[in-house]
Amino acid sequence: MARELPRNDIPIFILAILESGPAHGYAIAREIDARCDGGLVLRDGALYPALRALEDDGLIVGEWQPSTESGGPPRKTYRLTDEGRAEASRRATLWRNYAKNVERILGNLGGQDAEPAI
Amino acid sequence: MQNQRFDEDRAELEAHFAERVQVYVDLGQPLEQAQASAREKFGNPERYLQQLRLRRYLLRPLQALGQGAWTSLKYIPLSCFFACMGWFVLSKTGEKLPFADIILWTTGLSMLHVAGIVDRERPKYRHLRVFGAVLIAEIAGIISSLFSVPTERQLLFLHWQWVYFVLLIFVAYFRPFRESKNAKAKVR
C-alpha cells in the first residue's frame, strides 16, 4: 500500500539523492519514485519548499544551467555542499536508528508478511 | 531582486510541471488528460508557488517592509500631481494650502498599490508591504504637518483618511480568501 511522504521527511530524501550527484527538481522526484518503486507517494511540488529550506540552511546550492535539449528551458540544478554532505550522513544515521527501533517495538505485529513500518 | 526570485521560482516549477506533462503525453495520454495527471502527481503549482513566496517573506520581513515603503515612495510624484489638481480645485472654492490633501492622495494611492489593486504580486504576504507603505505615509504626514495649518474641512478629510486606511487593510487581508475561492471554482 503506497503511503504519502510526510513533508518533514522530504529533506533527508533530497539529501540522499543529491549524494549521488547534482540533479534538478524533476530528476530528484523521478529518482525518489524509482528508488521506492512507487511505495511512497511524493507530490512533486512538495519538493520545492524543502529544497528552499535546504538552500537557506546552506546544505545545498542551486545553480541555473542551460537545458541539455535544444530549445528546452534552463533548469536549476542542485548539489550538496560540504556541510550538506556531513549533514546527510548524520541524518541518515539517525533515520536508520529510528527505523531499527520502530521495528523492534512493533515486533511481530502484523505477521511475517507485514510491510516494514518505515 | 525579490521579483526576480519569484520569477525564477515560477520558471523552475513550470519547467518541472511541463516535463511531467510531457512524460504522460509520451505514455500516450491526450494533452488534457496528461495535464490532469501531471496536476495530480505534482499538486497545484500555484499553491506551492505561494508557499515559496510566503517562505521568502517570512524569512525576510524587513525586506518586505522595505519593499512596501519603496513602492510608496515611487508613487509620491503621481500622488503630488493629483494633489496639485486638488489644490487647483480647492483654490477655486476658497480653501487654503492643500498639504492635508497631499497626505490624503499620497497615502491613498500608495495604499491602493500595496493592497494589490494595481500590484501583480500574489496575496498572502501583502500585509507586510501595506505596513511598509503606512510607515512612509506617516512620515509624509509628520513632515507636511510641519508646514501647514489645516483648515477644519481638511482636518475632517484627515479623520476620514483613517477609515480609508482600515478599508484598504481589510481589502489587503481578505482579497486572498476571495482569490483562493475563485481558484477553487476554476479547478472545479
Side-chain angles (χ1 to χ4, degrees):
Chain A
M1 188 174 63
R3 174 186 159 179
E4 185 150 352
L5 261 179
R7 227 173 11 175
N8 290 344
D9 297 346
I10 295 173
I12 179 64
F13 293 112
I14 293 173
L15 293 175
I17 302 297
L18 294 181
E19 178 71 30
S20 319
H24 52 70
Y26 176 73
I28 294 171
R30 201 180 48 194
E31 186 62 20
I32 290 176
D33 287 342
R35 287 194 192 183
C36 67
D37 198 18
L40 292 171
V41 178
L42 168 72
R43 292 230 179 270
D44 291 5
L47 274 180
Y48 290 93
L51 283 166
R52 290 296 169 276
L54 292 169
E55 257 188 316
D56 291 338
D57 292 342
L59 302 179
I60 62 173
V61 177
E63 283 164 354
W64 284 93
Q65 289 179 346
S67 172
T68 48
E69 301 160 20
S70 61
R75 308 302 301 261
K76 193 172 182 183
T77 304
Y78 297 91
R79 64 176 171 77
L80 281 183
T81 60
D82 290 340
E83 199 185 335
R85 212 171 293 282
E87 181 65 14
S89 169
R90 192 185 71 83
R91 289 192 195 184
T93 308
L94 288 175
W95 259 94
R96 289 200 174 96
N97 284 339
Y98 177 74
K100 203 159 58 182
N101 286 315
V102 171
E103 276 300 316
R104 277 186 199 148
I105 292 167
L106 293 181
N108 282 334
L109 186 68
Q112 291 297 324
D113 296 333
E115 291 177 21
I118 303 294
Chain B
M1 186 67 180
Q2 195 74 313
N3 280 345
Q4 189 193 336
R5 289 203 183 104
F6 292 154
D7 291 342
E8 284 180 6
D9 286 344
R10 179 177 285 282
E12 191 179 9
L13 264 68
E14 280 177 354
H16 185 147
F17 188 76
E19 201 153 352
R20 210 28 110 179
V21 171
Q22 189 58 45
V23 168
Y24 287 112
V25 168
D26 292 344
L27 287 172
Q29 291 187 6
L31 184 61
E32 272 190 19
Q33 197 186 332
Q35 281 174 336
S37 303
R39 189 170 285 271
E40 196 176 325
K41 177 73 177 86
F42 190 93
N44 184 352
E46 286 299 327
R47 193 184 122 219
Y48 289 116
L49 211 51
Q50 279 191 6
Q51 276 184 21
L52 295 183
R53 288 177 170 186
L54 183 62
R55 180 183 171 78
R56 288 199 188 284
Y57 270 107
L58 285 175
L59 287 173
R60 300 174 182 83
L62 282 178
Q63 201 175 348
L65 280 174
Q67 194 184 25
W70 174 238
T71 308
S72 298
L73 283 172
K74 282 197 292 191
Y75 268 68
I76 281 181
L78 182 63
S79 307
C80 287
F81 169 75
F82 282 111
C84 288
M85 287 177 66
W87 172 76
F88 179 74
V89 172
L90 288 175
S91 67
K92 297 288 177 196
T93 57
E95 289 286 337
K96 291 181 183 172
L97 288 173
F99 287 110
D101 298 273
I102 288 175
I103 307 166
L104 180 71
W105 280 102
T106 304
T107 52
L109 279 173
S110 307
M111 295 288 283
L112 273 173
H113 180 92
V114 296
I117 292 168
V118 289
D119 193 344
R120 74 190 181 89
E121 289 305 336
R122 300 294 294 178
K124 282 187 179 171
Y125 39 81
R126 188 178 289 148
H127 58 285
L128 287 168
R129 282 179 291 152
V130 172
F131 292 142
V134 169
L135 282 178
I136 289 297
E138 287 300 314
I139 292 167
I142 290 165
I143 293 172
S144 68
S145 70
L146 296 175
F147 298 100
S148 68
V149 182
T151 64
E152 207 171 296
R153 194 163 147 192
Q154 285 167 342
L155 272 176
L156 189 69
F157 271 134
L158 277 176
H159 291 312
W160 275 104
Q161 189 181 353
W162 286 106
V163 177
Y164 190 43
F165 275 176
V166 172
L167 275 174
L168 283 167
I169 288 171
F170 181 84
V171 170
Y173 272 105
F174 288 92
R175 199 172 169 217
F177 297 110
R178 204 181 63 214
E179 282 180 359
S180 66
K181 274 184 190 168
N182 289 344
K184 277 179 191 165
K186 273 183 196 170
V187 169
R188 282 192 201 114

